[in-house]
Amino acid sequence: MAMINFFVNGKFIEIPTIEGEMLSDLLRNRLGLLGTKIGCNEAECGACTVVIDGKAILSCNYPAQKVQGKHVLTIEGLACRENNESENLHPLQEAFIRYGAVQCGFCIPGQIMTSYALLKQIPNPNIEEIQYALKDTLCRCAGYPSIIAAIQAAAANAETGRAIESPFIPPAQLGGKIVGQVHIRPDAVLKVTGKAIYSDDIKFEGMLHARVKRAMVPAGILLKCDVSKARVLPGVISVLTANDLKAERNHGLVIKDWPVMVGVGEQICYVGDALAIIAAETREIASTALELIEVEIAPLQAITDPVDSHNPKSRLIHSQGNLLKHIKVRKGNIEEGFEKSDIVLENTFKTNPNDHAFLEPECTVARLNPEGRMEIYVGSQIPYADREQVAAVLGISEENVRVIGQLIGGGFGGKEDITGQIHAALLARETGKAVKLLFDRQESLIVHPKRHATQITVKIGASIEGQLIAVQSTLYGDTGAYASLGEKVMTRATTHSSGPYEIPNVRADCFAMYTNNPPAGAFRGFGVMQSAFAVESMMDELAEKIEMDPIKIRKLNALRVGSLTNTGQLLKESVGLLECIEKVEKALFERAGSNPFTPVEDPNKPEIVRAWGFAVAYKNTGLGGGAPDKAGAEIELLENGVFEVRSASAELGQGLPTVLQLTAAEELGQGTDAVRVLLSDTDLTPDGGPTTASRQTYVTGNAVRFAAKSIRQLLISELSERYDVSPDRITFIEGLAQIGDQKVPLGKISSILRSEGIIPKVLYTYWAPETKPLGDGGNMHVAFSFAAQAAFVEVNRFTGEVQVPEIIAANDVGFAINPLGLKGQVEGGIIMGIGHALTENFILNQGHVVTDRMASYRIPSIMYTPKITSFIVEHPTSDGPFGAKGVGEIVLIPTIPAITNAVYNAIGVRVTSLPIDQEQILHHSQIMQM
Amino acid sequence: MTTYQDYQIVKSLDEAFQSLSPGEDLPCLVAGGTDLLLELQQGRHKRVNRMLDIHSIPELLELKIDNNQLLIGAAIPVSDIACSPLIKEHAQAVSDASALIGGPQVRNVATLGGNVAHALPAADGMIALVAMDAMALIASPTGFFEKPILQLFSGPGITTLLPDQIITRFSVKMKEKGEGSAFRRIMRPQGVALPILNLAIWIKRDRELIQDIRIVFGPSGPTPCRAVLVEDVFRGKNWNSALLQIGIDAISSTVKFRTSKNRASAEYRYQIAKYLFTQTINDAWEKAGQDNNNGND
């Protein structure tokens, strides 16, 4: 038998060859080196980067036989490589942690290995050299600014030998002892050493591998689905079809309309519809079996445009009609408003679908545990919703399903719906074995819900002085084949479609339409990204028309304390929009002088013209709209003196464990070492609700805060009785309770209470303040975050190419609980916004996904990193934890219109559809004179 | 899906030709494999059972000046080509193009031989080699022979090479006084990272006289080709802005660009070609003139 002999992390390996094996599979599957991640398996994302003989190499596309005689270095071999002490991190690992370069963590091994190879070649690289070397090592959290800074810090460390110093990151203005101060993530060390476990890293003895037969036709009736040949392929253990569904046949977060599998005689509504599922001994066998399934489909005409879908003559996609929801906003009298206006402008804007392109593809492992309960290992944004949906389809009680949430390699809203959870569970039950269902990148791009493509017409009426009098908007949202969160997303798009302005007369109508495109659902920004692009473009058009400064017109109309929103909500507090605008304005004038919006030609490069653009935004925190919004949190004092905080709320990289850890530590008077956070296990952690709507810091943060207060009270009352000390003489200091004059370790207190049958544990369910449904007036949301951004663009007049070298941003977050994590959110949001404006084009052709590879759906690389000046504005909201409100989404929203407004200012072309198309820019600028 | 059954790494041409002996199921040659393996994995290439990895054959790794020729081994990783001072000196266009192929990790594996054998009409390295009028040395079971690089292509993705012929190296004439070359390209940020348009130009000048010129646009046809009618505008003329304008007009009338769906229309390619051409020819012209200043030969 042919053998491969090579070295991994200094250790000699001799291992038989396997046909067609790539190095990544050898490392992960046969050597158990799981730190090397597979993000795309198509040599695009860089997550699988290892260092071979000093050079960075993509291991997913490197035949294993090629390592013969070579030295391979993986992330596992980096720590303590420079010396022999076991716990010593490599300076790169240390710097990545301290600079906050680690978020979801999935790309981090690849980032660090690519950086390692760079530093071996160039010990002290400048920013351009770093960008050149890391160009194809993608980070969807887009921690690029922090990654660059971390690499430079590690390089400086190698030069000077001094320890890696933490960067200065401004704390919260009114920070506490713990909250509002800079702390590193509790999971950072695991993530920089490759020890962090994601779903695809989980293995069980005898585990089977599942694959799903997809319709690959956007509309039709399934006539035949013959699985007999697949069933008899050696190595195939089970093949299931819709015939095998004995209980609930659909899933869905709001409306259960998404078939688990489409049966013969039933309708196919999009290319990703599942027709059959296979479990086999290996993924290769399961893949081969897919091709043996014989399918016949009678095609139907695909409806792929939401406006067409609204046409009464269009074919009905679902029996109840093509309209998911007509959403209305009414304020004042719109006709009168336009009559009173001196200026009325109207334009129509289109946004394209976007894919979340989280670097970790969807993966579920399901197994029956020895007690016969179904265990689901998955990185999910809503573990309890997974549990409910799996149980319903399996026809078992929810208590018989345990969802054990894993680390999530990016979510951004794309891991809210069911993907493989139900299919894996069905196969695990059928076979009695553990079953892994891993999507490849192509399947991920085809199957999971996208951002809603939306057509938005905005008609805006104002006085000659720039006062907004009336805004009317009409939206057509493409919600795709199934409901997902479409109604919620498009409601947010509608209510935010007149911008963060006080306007007496508002009318908005949104038609959320079914089509035969992939479903659309939650995606960071949740509809508001789309409407902000439209209304902020119109604000600039209006400013130009009346020859007013774009910042001044926004200040004039901005929501402020005392304003009434378009849904009739009186804003009583926490409206930091004006301060955001002023902060950005001041920095902008300092940076660019008093005319930042006029184009400036480059004296040395006649093709380049530059200008700034400006935009503002707001975004709700929490579910709102009358939906009960609650989260549970449990805190227990363990016998080792650690408080364990538990909630089934998801960490997608945004830093929730840090927020909860700091919140509990602050309330309990402890350091961060004394607080541990456990998330997303439906057996062990109470329901924290969905990780969506920028709600976790506020809702689960509050749950933890009140749980911490409760356990503190519980401990004080127990100790007061036992030690006969008045409650006001009991305090908690790090690791200890100060009881009168006596200091008692917390672990001891836990043991004492337990010995007496008292478990020092509290459960607190926090209910966010009640909100009103749209149309009822009053408080539709508990709070709003606000933001302003200025974007600097560089347009090539001869090619239409656009670059964004600089962004100035201000975000009103209420209170910065976790400043290091906040920095990551702000930078990552801006760069995702740049991606949406410039690089990301999810292309559909008659319902078929054209951009079905990472190579064709491009997310921003480190080359797109702008210089970012960020201001944190803190107008606290009284019910938020320490005043905090959501930040995860607002950060991305103004970036896009700020860029498109800057393009207009630079070259006079109004961008009306996304992403910016350089060919269209050139076409419209009509200045090809050389 | 298993991409291939057998992957054999050969260390010499002899060993390679043993595996390529006729009668058997002929293996598919692979050097870096960065494109080929993906095409196999994604079902864009006919299935192969055997792969013959030629990336470590010594003849394919040589980089040297010999007999007034710069010899560039076909299996040298393009990252090495991009940072080779020798190649920068004698074939700047090849150096610049190589620095732009794929991404950093891919460049550590990908080869110029593969870039050429892949025969895409706009492969950066290949376009630059055409402008340098490179010759390819090909090893076959019966011996070596040379071919001008343009004679290697018969269609998009198709070469004139037989399955048992191996490109071992490219040769480019050593730079002489008054010669210079440049490579540039225009991308779009969406979609597959292939250039919308790339361009390599080589110029030989004597003060203000353009003695000779080679101009290669990609993609400008199913196989790479020189813009000979544009070259004719410049050859033997004195450099001036009026001439440049005539050259630009000649692009519109003589070079064939096409529309690629979701990437670029032909019209757009013609528009940006003017800019790309101006930039690149200025660049090449200046580089060709640098010797006049510093006397470097």
Side-chain angles (χ1 to χ4, degrees):
Chain A
M1 178 176 274
M3 302 297 282
I4 309 173
N5 302 300
F6 69 115
F7 295 86
V8 173
N9 302 329
K11 193 175 146 203
F12 179 72
I13 303 284
E14 181 170 38
I15 198 162
T17 57
I18 289 183
E19 284 178 7
E21 188 181 48
M22 293 297 169
L23 177 60
S24 55
D25 291 330
L26 170 60
L27 294 171
R28 287 180 55 81
N29 301 341
R30 293 207 279 162
L31 299 181
L33 295 170
L34 298 167
T36 300
K37 301 298 179 197
I38 305 296
C40 65
N41 219 13
E42 50 165 298
E44 278 296 324
C45 77
C48 68
T49 302
V50 299
V51 175
I52 302 180
D53 291 346
K55 287 184 172 180
I57 302 285
L58 299 174
S59 62
C60 79
N61 192 33
Y62 194 86
Q65 282 104 316
K66 281 178 84 168
V67 295
Q68 186 74 31
K70 294 183 172 159
H71 286 260
V72 179
L73 182 66
T74 71
I75 190 72
E76 290 89 351
L78 211 55
C80 65
R81 196 171 172 76
E82 307 290 306
N83 55 59
N84 289 324
E85 287 173 42
S86 58
E87 292 302 314
N88 266 8
L89 294 178
H90 186 276
L92 276 166
Q93 293 170 315
E94 183 75 33
F96 267 62
I97 294 173
R98 288 184 180 272
Y99 278 76
V102 181
Q103 296 183 61
C104 88
F106 196 77
C107 75
I108 292 301
Q111 301 289 354
I112 292 180
M113 297 318 291
T114 315
S115 309
Y116 176 88
L118 167 66
L119 294 187
K120 286 288 164 201
Q121 201 191 357
I122 307 173
N124 213 341
N126 60 31
I127 290 177
E128 288 72 30
E129 287 163 334
I130 292 171
Q131 287 181 314
Y132 184 76
L134 271 71
K135 179 188 144 263
D136 276 7
T137 309
L138 302 175
C139 174
R140 186 53 156 164
C141 303
Y144 298 129
S146 305
I147 289 171
I148 292 170
I151 293 169
Q152 292 192 312
N157 158 276
E159 204 163 75
T160 63
R162 281 203 292 272
I164 306 271
E165 281 178 26
S166 295
F168 174 74
I169 290 156
Q173 285 168 41
L174 300 170
K177 192 161 172 248
I178 300 287
V179 293
Q181 308 300 334
V182 173
H183 296 274
I184 62 167
R185 302 174 60 96
D187 56 10
V189 173
L190 289 179
K191 286 177 172 174
V192 298
T193 52
K195 291 178 186 147
I197 296 296
Y198 300 80
S199 301
D200 186 32
D201 302 330
I202 293 171
K203 259 190 200 176
F204 287 102
E205 190 68 32
M207 185 172 78
L208 303 176
H209 297 266
R211 294 222 57 190
V212 181
K213 180 74 178 175
R214 304 282 172 192
M216 300 312 282
V217 167
I221 302 293
L222 182 63
L223 300 178
K224 175 183 156 188
C225 181
D226 181 352
V227 300
S228 52
K229 286 182 185 154
R231 265 199 184 119
V232 298
L233 182 74
V236 169
I237 309 300
S238 174
V239 183
L240 300 178
T241 66
N243 287 338
D244 300 297
L245 299 172
K246 303 300 181 208
E248 174 63 55
R249 298 172 68 86
N250 294 324
H251 62 84
L253 285 167
V254 180
I255 303 170
K256 289 203 174 180
D257 66 348
W258 191 334
V260 173
M261 282 180 272
V262 175
V264 170
E266 294 176 346
Q267 200 189 175
I268 288 159
C269 292
Y270 91 111
V271 287
D273 270 331
L275 308 183
I277 51 178
I278 296 173
E281 285 166 3
T282 68
R283 186 172 172 84
E284 286 67 34
I285 295 171
S287 303
T288 306
L290 280 185
E291 294 175 12
L292 298 176
I293 296 176
E294 292 170 8
V295 169
E296 276 178 33
I297 296 167
L300 291 168
Q301 187 212 351
I303 296 169
T304 58
D305 180 276
V307 181
D308 289 348
S309 176
H310 193 232
N311 184 332
K313 289 178 191 157
S314 282
R315 182 175 68 81
L316 292 189
I317 296 168
H318 296 298
S319 55
Q320 73 279 19
N322 290 351
L323 180 68
L324 170 63
K325 181 96 175 180
H326 177 190
I327 301 147
K328 302 172 196 172
V329 172
R330 303 284 184 266
K331 183 186 180 190
N333 183 320
I334 196 76
E335 287 80 15
E336 277 180 21
F338 284 125
E339 272 169 32
K340 280 188 210 156
S341 300
D342 301 321
I343 309 283
V344 177
L345 298 172
E346 183 177 323
N347 206 344
T348 297
F349 301 86
K350 284 185 177 176
T351 67
N352 59 324
N354 294 116
D355 191 89
H356 309 74
F358 30 70
L359 283 187
E360 179 212 21
E362 297 89 333
C363 183
T364 300
V365 178
R367 66 155 199 163
L368 286 171
N369 75 4
E371 293 86 53
R373 291 175 72 222
M374 182 60 68
E375 288 181 354
I376 310 281
Y377 298 79
V378 63
S380 165
Q381 290 186 235
I382 324 180
Y384 274 83
D386 286 5
R387 186 175 80 156
E388 187 279 323
Q389 294 174 92
V390 169
V393 175
L394 263 52
I396 58 178
S397 72
E398 289 185 42
E399 287 66 37
N400 278 317
V401 178
R402 177 181 180 187
V403 175
I404 305 172
Q406 303 302 304
L407 283 177
I408 303 177
F412 312 106
K415 289 177 179 167
E416 297 190 21
D417 293 270
I418 287 290
T419 49
Q421 295 91 326
I422 294 173
H423 292 154
L426 285 166
L427 288 165
R429 179 169 71 177
E430 183 69 18
T431 62
K433 297 201 168 168
V435 173
K436 176 182 283 182
L437 202 173
L438 168 69
F439 281 14
D440 59 25
R441 180 55 60 178
Q442 193 180 23
E443 195 168 18
S444 176
L445 282 160
I446 289 170
V447 173
H448 77 239
K450 312 298 161 202
R451 189 188 289 288
H452 284 73
T454 309
Q455 176 183 306
I456 307 173
T457 302
V458 183
K459 186 176 172 186
I460 197 165
S463 73
I464 198 75
E465 293 82 27
Q467 194 80 51
L468 291 174
I469 299 171
V471 174
Q472 180 174 9
S473 49
T474 310
L475 301 89
Y476 286 89
D478 178 357
T479 208
Y482 303 112
S484 177
L485 288 160
E487 180 194 329
K488 312 282 179 199
V489 173
M490 293 324 293
T491 300
R492 228 60 80 225
T494 314
T495 59
H496 288 70
S497 65
S498 50
Y501 305 112
E502 182 159 23
I503 310 155
N505 307 291
V506 177
R507 181 186 171 103
D509 289 276
C510 173
F511 304 96
M513 303 306 304
Y514 287 110
T515 67
N516 292 116
N517 289 327
F523 194 159
R524 191 184 205 177
F526 212 81
V528 184
M529 183 237 110
Q530 291 93 317
S531 48
F533 164 59
V535 71
E536 285 301 286
S537 299
M538 287 309 291
M539 288 301 284
D540 259 34
E541 287 195 29
L542 176 64
E544 188 191 32
K545 188 85 182 172
I546 60 171
E547 295 176 5
M548 192 168 178
D549 179 80
I551 297 179
K552 198 174 162 196
I553 196 169
R554 288 177 169 87
K555 279 196 210 164
L556 181 67
N557 292 287
L559 290 173
R560 58 201 80 203
V561 171
S563 294
L564 195 65
T565 69
N566 58 3
T567 66
Q569 178 165 355
L570 177 65
L571 299 176
K572 300 189 192 80
E573 54 159 21
S574 189
V575 187
L577 179 57
L578 276 172
E579 190 183 336
C580 287
I581 295 173
E582 284 159 5
K583 282 266 190 317
V584 174
E585 180 183 35
K586 182 165 180 285
L588 179 60
F589 286 176
E590 280 168 14
R591 164 71 181 76
S594 53
N595 293 311
F597 306 121
T598 51
V600 177
E601 290 184 16
D602 188 315
N604 301 314
K605 292 186 197 161
E607 69 273 25
I608 297 295
V609 57
R610 300 184 176 89
W612 287 84
F614 195 85
V616 297
Y618 71 141
K619 173 72 184 64
N620 60 292
T621 293
L623 303 176
D629 201 354
K630 63 165 182 158
E634 188 175 83
I635 301 184
E636 179 173 346
L637 178 58
L638 306 177
E639 287 189 272
N640 60 3
V642 168
F643 288 96
E644 187 169 81
V645 174
R646 302 170 189 142
S647 180
S649 309
E651 160 60 6
L652 329 172
Q654 84 277 37
L656 182 66
T658 320
V659 166
L660 302 183
Q661 182 191 41
L662 303 187
T663 299
E666 180 80 25
E667 289 295 340
L668 293 165
Q670 300 301 305
T672 52
D673 289 349
V675 178
R676 185 167 83 198
V677 177
L678 176 68
L679 296 177
S680 291
D681 184 324
T682 57
D683 270 18
L684 303 179
T685 61
D687 190 359
T691 298
T692 192
S694 304
R695 64 180 284 282
Q696 287 296 9
T697 292
Y698 186 103
V699 186
T700 304
N702 263 330
V704 168
R705 189 177 188 200
F706 288 112
K709 286 178 191 288
S710 301
I711 197 166
R712 187 189 173 100
Q713 285 311 312
L714 171 82
L715 293 173
I716 287 174
S717 69
E718 294 289 344
L719 294 173
S720 166
E721 197 173 306
R722 267 171 196 70
Y723 288 86
D724 195 22
V725 171
S726 139
D728 58 9
R729 293 191 62 223
I730 300 176
T731 56
F732 296 97
I733 50 179
E734 287 201 28
L736 303 166
Q738 178 83 48
I739 308 167
D741 299 328
Q742 202 180 341
K743 286 188 172 70
V744 184
L746 290 170
K748 190 178 169 195
I749 292 170
S750 175
S751 301
I752 292 170
L753 292 175
R754 280 164 208 273
S755 70
E756 295 170 14
I758 298 165
I759 297 184
K761 176 168 91 170
V762 299
L763 169 67
Y764 190 94
T765 301
Y766 171 77
W767 292 79
E770 193 186 340
T771 56
K772 298 284 185 203
L774 174 59
D776 286 11
N779 287 350
M780 188 173 167
H781 290 291
V782 297
F784 293 93
S785 297
F786 297 89
Q789 282 190 27
F792 188 46
V793 305
E794 203 173 282
V795 183
N796 184 317
R797 295 189 291 150
F798 300 142
T799 65
E801 290 168 286
V802 175
Q803 294 191 9
V804 182
E806 195 169 344
I807 296 274
I808 301 170
N811 289 283
D812 171 21
V813 303
F815 174 80
I817 291 184
N818 171 20
L820 186 60
L822 177 58
K823 178 172 182 281
Q825 287 294 299
V826 170
E827 293 170 347
I830 287 169
I831 293 169
M832 185 179 271
I834 291 173
H836 280 18
L838 297 186
T839 74
E840 298 179 35
N841 197 14
F842 191 85
I843 301 173
L844 289 159
N845 179 18
Q846 286 303 304
H848 293 274
V849 178
V850 175
T851 45
D852 63 348
R853 303 276 179 190
M854 202 85 170
S856 51
Y857 186 77
R858 296 194 81 76
I859 59 171
S861 73
I862 199 167
M863 305 300 284
Y864 288 89
T865 310
K867 176 175 185 279
I868 293 173
T869 305
S870 166
F871 299 98
I872 301 303
V873 172
E874 296 173 287
H875 285 225
T877 185
S878 51
D879 285 318
F882 312 100
K885 46 194 183 182
V887 66
E889 300 176 276
I890 184 72
V891 286
L892 133 125
I893 297 168
T895 311
I896 298 144
I899 291 169
T900 56
N901 285 339
V903 168
Y904 182 85
N905 293 337
I907 199 164
V909 177
R910 171 61 57 199
V911 175
T912 56
S913 66
L914 293 175
I916 296 170
D917 181 330
Q918 67 198 45
E919 182 168 343
Q920 290 301 312
I921 296 285
L922 185 62
H923 178 72
H924 289 292
S925 70
Q926 298 175 330
I927 47 162
M928 268 308 297
Q929 296 298 325
M930 292 178 65
Chain B
M1 207 60 58
T2 305
T3 318
Y4 49 81
Q5 267 88 56
D6 182 50
Y7 194 94
Q8 187 192 356
I9 300 171
V10 288
K11 301 283 185 192
S12 70
L13 285 169
D14 283 349
E15 206 186 326
F17 289 124
Q18 277 167 26
S19 292
L20 288 165
S21 59
E24 283 189 46
D25 163 33
L26 272 188
C28 180
L29 295 176
V30 57
T34 49
D35 277 326
L36 178 61
L37 291 166
L38 285 181
E39 291 184 353
L40 284 165
Q41 279 173 327
Q42 297 176 5
R44 292 185 281 124
H45 189 286
K46 70 173 174 22
R47 294 187 75 157
V48 298
N49 291 321
R50 297 171 58 207
M51 302 199 78
L52 193 67
D53 183 325
I54 54 173
H55 89 278
S56 43
I57 297 174
E59 286 92 332
L60 275 67
L61 294 169
E62 281 182 352
L63 175 59
K64 62 181 181 189
I65 299 279
D66 185 44
N67 198 17
N68 289 330
Q69 301 279 318
L70 168 67
L71 307 181
I72 307 170
I76 298 172
V78 293
S79 55
D80 290 352
I81 289 174
C83 57
S84 153
L86 205 56
I87 295 174
K88 195 174 172 63
E89 165 69 17
H90 295 285
Q92 171 117 32
V94 175
S95 175
D96 291 352
S98 296
L100 296 170
I101 293 172
Q105 293 95 321
V106 166
R107 285 193 289 268
N108 283 335
V109 178
T111 67
L112 265 191
N115 196 255
V116 169
H118 200 213
L120 290 181
D124 294 318
M126 179 270 293
I127 290 287
L129 283 170
V130 173
M132 297 311 298
D133 205 23
M135 296 289 286
L137 181 69
I138 293 147
S140 79
T142 53
F144 291 92
F145 63 94
E146 275 204 308
K147 249 189 181 184
I149 186 167
L150 277 178
Q151 290 179 22
L152 291 177
F153 311 107
S154 58
I158 310 165
T159 67
T160 56
L161 296 171
L162 298 174
D164 61 356
Q165 294 180 341
I166 298 171
I167 304 172
T168 60
R169 69 173 192 224
F170 302 99
S171 57
V172 170
K173 211 157 61 66
M174 258 178 80
K175 188 166 110 83
E176 290 177 7
K177 189 173 174 185
E179 294 179 355
S181 65
F183 173 90
R184 282 173 185 251
R185 66 178 190 180
I186 292 172
M187 308 286 286
R188 76 149 57 226
Q190 309 97 16
V192 180
L194 290 173
I196 291 177
L197 200 63
N198 58 12
L199 172 62
I201 298 179
W202 170 88
I203 289 181
K204 181 174 177 62
R205 65 184 275 195
D206 181 7
R207 298 173 202 280
E208 295 309 295
L209 175 70
I210 303 163
Q211 291 179 303
D212 199 1
I213 187 166
R214 290 188 290 267
I215 299 168
V216 193
F217 280 105
S220 64
T223 57
C225 58
R226 279 170 46 188
V228 285
L229 295 172
V230 185
E231 293 174 1
D232 287 347
V233 170
F234 292 94
R235 199 172 287 115
K237 308 276 173 48
N238 271 330
W239 173 262
N240 61 53
S241 57
L243 186 68
L244 182 59
Q245 190 54 51
I246 298 169
I248 286 171
D249 293 343
I251 295 171
S252 307
S253 54
T254 68
V255 181
K256 182 91 183 114
F257 296 133
R258 64 184 165 85
T259 294
S260 322
K261 199 176 178 197
N262 295 327
R263 292 188 49 68
S265 68
E267 295 71 36
Y268 181 61
R269 285 196 163 113
Y270 280 109
Q271 286 174 317
I272 60 176
K274 300 173 187 177
Y275 167 73
L276 184 65
F277 184 74
T278 308
Q279 297 275 308
T280 314
I281 198 168
N282 280 330
D283 196 2
W285 178 255
E286 270 173 36
K287 289 196 179 110
Q290 277 166 5
D291 301 336
N292 295 335
N293 302 329
N294 58 22
N296 198 1
D297 198 5

